[in-house]
Amino acid sequence: MALKEPELRTAEFRKIPEADYERALHDYYICRVSRELSNIIRKDVLSGRAKFGVSDDGKELYQIAMARAIQNGDWRADYYRGHTLLLALDLTTPEELLAQLYSDPAHDPFSGGRQMGGHYASRTIDERGEWLDTTERFNLSSATSPTAGQMARGLGLAFASKVFRQQEDLPTEGLSNNGNEIAWTEIGDASTSEGVFWETMNAAGVTGVPMLCTVVDDGYGISVPVELQTTKGSISKALAGLAYEEETNGIEIYAVKGWDYPALLELYPRVAKRVRQLHRTALVHVSELTQPNGHSTSGSHERYKPTKRLEWEKTWDCLVQFRHYLIGAGIAEAADLDELDRRAKKEITVARRRAWDNLNAPRRARRDELLALLPTNGHSTPELTEFAATIAGDHAPVSELVDAVRRLRFRMVDSFPPALRDWLRDAHRELKATAGSNLLSNTPRSPLRLGGIPAQYGDDTKTIPGYEILQHYFDAKFAERPELFAFGEDVGEIGDVNQGFAGLQDRFGKHRIFDTGIREWTIVGQAMGMAMRGLRPIAEIQYLDYIFYALPMLTDDVATLRWRTNGMQACPLIIRTRGHRLEGVWHSGSYLSPLIGSLRGMHLCVPRNMVQAAGMYNVLLEGDDPAVVIEVLNGYRIREREPENLQEFRVPLGVPEQLRAGTDLTIITYGACVRICEEAAEVLAQSGISVELIDVQTLLPFDLEHRIVNHLKHTNRLLIVDEDAPGGTSAYIERQIIEVQGGFQYLDAPVRTLTASVHRPAYADDGNYASKPQVMDVVEAVVELLGF
């Protein structure tokens, strides 16, 4: 099918006030600076100076208009473009933008060299993890590349404004101005095909939040035309069913041409004012945009666009039309604009040179430092001479220098100079820190620094069902902390399907404990946005199996936020869910290995009962890292002793607990399997077999102090029991103990893992018995491992 071409028309020369003429010329200059920057980005990638580039060419003008409507305190959830907006708001310089393109950790202010160009972020926390005043500036939530992923975060940032407006007793200083902040969210038109876009827009219509979403439509998704992407070939038409109507809810929908300067200037401030006042989401569909340099530096759009389309884009390039408008409306002469073009080109040329020099001056210094360590006065060797020639280039990154020294060490073995050995140690450590620091919090509020506080029990300690312990816990916590919120499917009116919040909505209100639709991705998005703005959300995913609907948000955005901003942003949300010992293919609640592999940057807590869960919540709510807590489903009605210090006691993260001493064998497990193993240990004890039982308590982090290997030294045999698939979590635990902790040398027998079946758990008692580890499975595995 051929793409339906935009209608060719003559731009209307609608007048703007003469007082705005100077501002219009400034707008033109910013656009030209942005375009020259886009051209340099493409040039530097194709010449090898940079790795990959996306830029704003063809998308400049709507951002200029957007800048007119943004206010201090607003937030942005963008995709991987937008440098025109930052330049228009004077939030950055071309030099800084190029520093990110060149991956200069010292001068990239958005990610410390960790993200490719176009991924912007502003600092919202200081080095101690304290919130900065976000009401004094425009706030850039760190961009991500997965298409449409920013939508759920934008919803959450906007939802936080609604929360701040609704709840009078919230501490808002530095966090909100009565909820007047807009979340500016942008998305490419093709990405509106993603399910999370529709989920987000539906959620925005239901919840009523101040989000202004711009759809940037240049007619293609890389090479795929819009008619193959979107019903009716128009996202604004396709969304018509969500449009706001009186006496109901919904979103407001607007359409504008991306080359129409007066229309853009009129539309954005007007729409933003309505969004800010009414707390109603608006979508602005900006169409008839072009892409002069193609979608990105990875390909050429001439390969897939017909000649007629390419000719149309040359004519209707927004900067070509902007120039025509300024001349036709009598705002400027052609010669004036030519001079602005020359100034813009010069500014980018100077910025490029400075950014490149900033990157390479330290590289040259490191090279010279390394060369100075080499022997002189005839004491060199052929290997050292060859090495010196290898690193003599001007622009070698530190990684190349480190690699060259490592290769030299391999060749020279015993004659490797000690000075080079010391340099390599320090440089390798520095390189790892530059690329890998701040995965988790290093602040005084890091959950890993808080330590544990034992649970205390009195003589008259009550024994009550686990769900009542959680009720008591959350009741007291919500009374203590007004910034605490809980929400998810069935959390509000019925207090979650297992009654942990039963009755609490009536006490604390529907704005603090509330229901959501079945929309896991945006539940997490709501929590992320709230947590990024100083609130403390507990978002419920009803069962662990459903968390995979939210996994893209968790792995791409939540888990990477602190790391990809190099410690500038944080989102200490808590995902509460339940699993283990469920029944049936999609209600097994056992597959944890995908979370272990994808949620590095979060804590993964697997409490064996509700008291332990409360102790973990205490740590997480005092801390500033995101986490997932997986409660044991069949433990809610099991009776437990309620600690006297339920609100204060803490279960330390990354610290396993020995539940039973033993001499013959060590069993490592967690969650629901703890009860299975406890019963198995009793059966074994009746036959004189003494097993040690250890609950790991948290999978991320895992046994930070390497306590388990010290237990293994005394039993010399290891059985790992869990409900995950073979080779899943049990394999992860085995690697931690045997490889990371060096436990192999203490074994008198091979490690044994006892897991669920390779297939998903089957339904009902027989299916569960055959699919998951049972008491006698543990007993027989111990007997076999001991050789009895």
Side-chain angles (χ1 to χ4, degrees):
M1 281 188 188
L3 175 68
K4 182 179 179 181
E5 298 299 335
E7 178 186 352
L8 290 173
R9 64 176 70 81
T10 301
E12 298 179 29
F13 291 114
R14 282 170 286 177
K15 290 288 187 179
I16 61 174
E18 287 190 24
D20 287 345
Y21 282 12
E22 185 174 345
R23 178 69 181 269
L25 291 176
H26 178 72
D27 289 344
Y28 179 80
Y29 179 72
I30 294 296
C31 286
R32 290 307 313 176
V33 169
S34 177
R35 180 64 62 89
E36 292 298 334
L37 179 61
S38 294
N39 294 338
I40 287 298
I41 289 172
R42 182 171 180 82
K43 177 180 178 180
D44 281 352
V45 171
L46 295 180
S47 66
R49 273 194 174 189
K51 296 293 185 181
F52 180 78
V54 289
S55 55
D56 283 7
D57 49 294
K59 281 66 172 193
E60 296 93 349
L61 207 53
Y62 81 87
Q63 296 182 55
I64 291 293
M66 186 184 293
R68 300 280 189 102
I70 285 170
Q71 295 183 9
N72 285 343
D74 288 354
W75 287 75
R76 187 171 192 241
D78 60 335
Y79 70 141
Y80 44 85
R81 299 187 196 274
H83 62 241
T84 309
L85 179 66
L86 273 63
L87 292 170
L89 292 171
D90 200 24
L91 293 177
T92 190
T93 65
E95 194 172 312
E96 290 178 331
L97 294 166
L98 289 168
Q100 186 178 55
L101 179 73
Y102 300 151
S103 187
D104 184 347
H107 297 93
D108 165 17
F110 312 112
S111 70
R114 296 177 182 187
Q115 291 232 72
M116 66 175 65
H119 293 70
Y120 309 123
S122 54
R123 181 175 286 280
T124 59
I125 57 173
D126 65 18
E127 288 76 7
R128 292 180 57 82
E130 301 298 328
W131 296 106
L132 300 176
D133 189 340
T134 58
T135 65
E136 294 181 341
R137 61 173 182 268
F138 184 44
N139 303 284
L140 309 172
S141 68
S142 177
T144 54
S145 289
T147 57
Q150 72 275 16
M151 294 299 302
R153 179 172 8 106
L155 174 74
L157 293 168
F159 189 82
S161 290
K162 178 178 180 177
V163 168
F164 281 121
R165 181 170 288 187
Q166 284 182 330
Q167 187 169 332
E168 295 181 356
D169 62 341
L170 269 177
T172 60
E173 185 176 357
L175 299 176
S176 177
N177 178 23
N178 194 36
N180 288 324
E181 305 81 23
I182 289 178
W184 296 80
T185 306
E186 291 180 56
I187 184 170
D189 182 66
S191 294
T192 63
S193 299
E194 296 278 7
V196 65
F197 170 80
W198 292 87
E199 183 177 321
T200 298
M201 299 314 297
N202 176 63
V206 170
T207 56
V209 296
M211 180 170 72
L212 199 162
C213 176
T214 295
V215 177
V216 185
D217 182 2
D218 59 24
Y220 286 83
I222 305 183
S223 66
V224 180
V226 66
E227 64 182 10
L228 299 181
Q229 302 269 9
T230 307
T231 298
K232 301 180 180 180
S234 167
I235 191 59
S236 51
K237 293 179 180 178
L239 282 170
L242 295 181
Y244 174 79
E245 298 174 358
E246 294 293 337
E247 307 301 328
T248 183
N249 53 22
I251 66 174
E252 296 186 357
I253 302 173
Y254 303 86
V256 67
K257 307 305 181 186
W259 46 261
D260 193 339
Y261 179 66
L264 289 164
L265 286 189
E266 185 279 329
L267 179 68
Y268 269 106
R270 173 167 57 88
V271 174
K273 183 177 180 180
R274 289 182 60 81
V275 172
R276 205 178 300 279
Q277 291 178 344
L278 302 177
H279 270 209
R280 184 184 302 141
T281 292
L283 179 134
V284 176
H285 179 195
V286 183
S287 64
E288 296 194 11
L289 293 167
T290 65
Q291 43 184 9
N293 290 335
H295 172 266
S296 68
T297 55
S298 62
S300 169
H301 63 154
E302 288 84 0
R303 291 184 300 154
Y304 53 83
K305 288 181 181 176
T307 301
K308 186 178 179 182
R309 172 71 191 196
L310 292 171
E311 289 300 320
W312 182 91
E313 292 199 5
K314 289 179 181 178
T315 301
W316 292 89
D317 181 324
C318 67
L319 296 198
V320 172
Q321 290 298 317
F322 192 14
R323 182 183 177 95
H324 290 339
Y325 173 79
L326 293 173
I327 296 172
I331 298 173
E333 299 291 338
D336 299 326
L337 301 182
D338 289 342
E339 175 60 24
L340 292 178
D341 292 349
R342 286 190 290 270
R343 281 178 49 199
K345 191 176 187 68
K346 181 178 180 180
E347 180 176 344
I348 294 302
T349 299
V350 172
R352 180 177 183 242
R353 182 176 65 250
R354 288 176 176 170
W356 191 243
D357 288 344
N358 288 341
L359 175 72
N360 286 291
R363 290 179 173 181
R364 288 191 291 270
R366 295 304 294 268
R367 178 206 60 191
D368 294 343
E369 170 190 288
L370 192 53
L371 288 172
L373 298 176
L374 299 180
T376 57
N377 300 324
H379 296 292
S380 187
T381 66
E383 293 87 355
L384 292 172
T385 301
E386 182 180 341
F387 167 76
T390 299
I391 67 170
D394 274 347
H395 309 308
V398 175
S399 59
E400 289 186 14
L401 298 178
V402 167
D403 190 69
V405 177
R406 293 174 69 186
R407 292 173 183 271
L408 179 66
R409 181 181 62 182
F410 179 75
R411 293 178 63 190
M412 298 189 71
V413 193
D414 295 335
S415 59
F416 186 64
L420 290 183
R421 179 196 61 213
D422 294 342
W423 183 95
L424 178 59
R425 179 199 61 218
D426 295 341
H428 207 179
R429 185 181 301 155
E430 176 189 328
L431 191 62
K432 289 282 189 181
T434 299
S437 61
N438 288 306
L439 180 64
L440 294 168
S441 171
N442 293 313
T443 73
R445 293 176 52 218
S446 165
L448 303 184
R449 293 185 175 184
L450 296 178
I453 296 176
Q456 298 174 0
Y457 298 93
D459 295 336
D460 58 348
T461 296
K462 295 182 294 184
T463 300
I464 58 177
Y467 75 90
E468 291 189 21
I469 287 177
L470 290 179
Q471 284 179 8
H472 297 168
Y473 174 77
F474 289 128
D475 190 349
K477 273 299 176 194
F478 272 73
E480 171 190 324
R481 303 186 63 161
E483 75 278 14
L484 192 57
F485 297 80
F487 52 90
E489 300 158 22
D490 300 305
V491 172
E493 186 167 351
I494 68 171
D496 86 46
V497 291
N498 295 103
Q499 304 296 287
F501 280 97
L504 299 190
Q505 186 184 77
D506 290 339
R507 179 175 179 190
F508 296 105
K510 292 183 178 180
H511 62 290
R512 290 193 66 193
I513 299 172
F514 53 92
D515 292 316
T516 69
I518 301 176
R519 49 177 181 81
E520 285 80 9
W521 197 322
T522 48
I523 288 173
V524 174
Q526 275 180 255
M528 183 179 190
M530 294 171 71
M532 290 185 73
R533 296 190 59 184
L535 304 173
R536 293 309 305 261
I538 299 175
E540 179 166 312
I541 302 297
Q542 195 165 90
Y543 295 112
L544 180 65
D545 306 79
Y546 306 162
I547 204 170
F548 296 102
Y549 290 91
L551 191 58
M553 185 75 195
L554 290 169
T555 184
D556 292 329
D557 212 346
V558 174
T560 66
L561 179 66
R562 187 184 291 272
W563 170 81
R564 73 178 189 264
T565 62
N566 199 19
M568 295 196 307
Q569 296 183 355
C571 59
L573 58 79
I574 296 175
I575 302 299
R576 177 184 179 232
T577 187
R578 52 194 61 84
H580 320 303
R581 292 289 138 175
L582 285 76
E583 295 183 352
V585 181
W586 294 288
H587 297 84
S588 63
S590 304
Y591 280 47
L592 288 177
S593 50
L595 305 185
I596 294 170
S598 57
L599 298 186
R600 304 303 172 96
M602 298 183 69
H603 300 293
L604 184 56
C605 304
V606 282
R608 63 183 179 268
N609 56 39
M610 304 312 149
V611 168
Q612 295 299 103
M616 292 176 183
Y617 286 127
N618 280 330
V619 173
L620 295 171
L621 288 172
E622 290 299 316
D624 57 359
D625 273 333
V628 176
V629 179
I630 305 170
E631 298 165 7
V632 177
L633 179 70
N634 62 6
Y636 290 109
R637 299 197 177 275
I638 295 176
R639 302 181 76 84
E640 302 179 41
R641 299 171 67 206
E642 183 176 36
E644 293 181 334
N645 59 340
L646 184 63
Q647 301 302 308
E648 294 81 29
F649 95 97
R650 297 200 293 245
V651 174
L653 307 189
V655 179
E657 181 178 358
Q658 183 190 49
L659 302 180
R660 185 185 183 103
T663 57
D664 292 328
L665 178 142
T666 296
I667 298 177
I668 305 296
T669 191
Y670 61 88
C673 284
V674 170
R675 289 184 58 242
I676 300 296
C677 292
E678 284 178 325
E679 186 175 341
E682 290 295 331
V683 173
L684 289 163
Q686 295 171 12
S687 297
I689 298 175
S690 173
V691 297
E692 176 186 53
L693 179 59
I694 296 176
D695 175 10
V696 301
Q697 304 204 99
T698 62
L699 293 168
L700 295 175
F702 184 91
D703 191 8
L704 293 172
E705 299 173 353
H706 293 189
R707 294 188 178 193
I708 291 176
V709 74
N710 290 322
H711 290 285
L712 188 58
K713 291 177 183 178
H714 303 292
T715 64
N716 309 116
R717 287 175 173 81
L718 179 61
L719 172 65
I720 300 169
V721 181
D722 87 311
E723 295 184 1
D724 205 344
T729 305
S730 58
Y732 162 77
I733 293 173
E734 181 178 359
R735 177 186 176 275
Q736 292 290 322
I737 298 170
I738 301 305
E739 182 178 338
V740 177
Q741 298 187 12
F744 178 81
Q745 60 186 311
Y746 304 111
L747 291 175
D748 290 341
V751 176
R752 174 76 184 271
T753 62
L754 178 61
T755 69
S757 300
V758 69
H759 57 76
R760 291 290 183 98
Y763 176 60
D765 290 346
D766 288 350
N768 180 67
Y769 191 87
S771 302
K772 292 189 174 184
Q774 306 298 328
V775 171
M776 290 310 300
D777 294 323
V778 177
V779 170
E780 290 169 359
V782 169
V783 170
E784 291 174 10
L785 193 52
L786 292 174
F788 292 172

